[in-house]
Amino acid sequence: MSEWEPSSTTRDLGIPGERKLGTTSDVAAIVLTYARITGDRAMISAGIKTLNSMEVFKVPRAGQTWEVLVRTPEIFSDAEAVYAYVLGYQITGNLTYLAEADYWAEAGLPFVYMWKTEYNETPHALRYYPLLWRVRL
């Protein structure tokens, strides 16, 4: 599983070795993307093991460790978790992974803002593109 390791410019953003959703979901997404494309059984196994290790997380944190404190809740790790769990479902057919993707999609909603424009009084949602372009069933 992936742990956060700071660079010289990010050392003040967290404790080396911290493990959060964002430090794990990005690895799961990369491994499972490769696994889905190639069918490599070792990568499938590694990706599923990583997904299963993510069950301990309930708050999306550590998705933007190049600029945000590791413990700060944010939407980026949410998007990666949704994508990773959808891949897990697509590869295995396990509905638990689809339920986890749904959980993380809902957990990201508080990070989506609404506003009115000068051209339209109806609020428009800010579309956070990682959620839109990364998650495809």
Side-chain angles (χ1 to χ4, degrees), residues 3 16 19 21 25 43 59 68 73 75 82 104 120 132:
E3 297 173 344
R19 191 172 162 268
L21 180 69
S25 61
M43 295 302 274
V59 178
V68 179
I75 195 170
V82 170
W104 288 112
N120 189 338
L132 297 174

Side-chain angles (χ1 to χ4, degrees), residues 43-123:
M43 295 302 274
I44 291 170
S45 178
I48 296 305
K49 182 178 178 181
T50 305
L51 277 186
N52 293 337
S53 78
M54 290 166 40
E55 293 174 358
V56 299
F57 305 116
K58 297 300 174 207
V59 178
R61 302 177 196 274
Q64 302 176 63
T65 57
W66 60 89
E67 64 182 354
V68 179
L69 293 173
V70 171
R71 290 181 218 101
T72 304
E74 44 70 44
I75 195 170
F76 199 81
S77 58
D78 248 344
E80 291 288 352
V82 170
Y83 182 60
Y85 276 115
V86 167
L87 286 169
Y89 166 72
Q90 290 174 330
I91 292 168
T92 67
N94 185 338
L95 289 173
T96 301
Y97 296 136
L98 202 53
E100 286 293 323
D102 184 61
Y103 171 84
W104 288 112
E106 281 190 30
L109 291 178
F111 301 101
V112 179
Y113 303 94
M114 301 291 282
W115 76 92
K116 293 182 181 181
T117 67
E118 60 187 76
Y119 306 107
N120 189 338
E121 290 299 311
T122 306

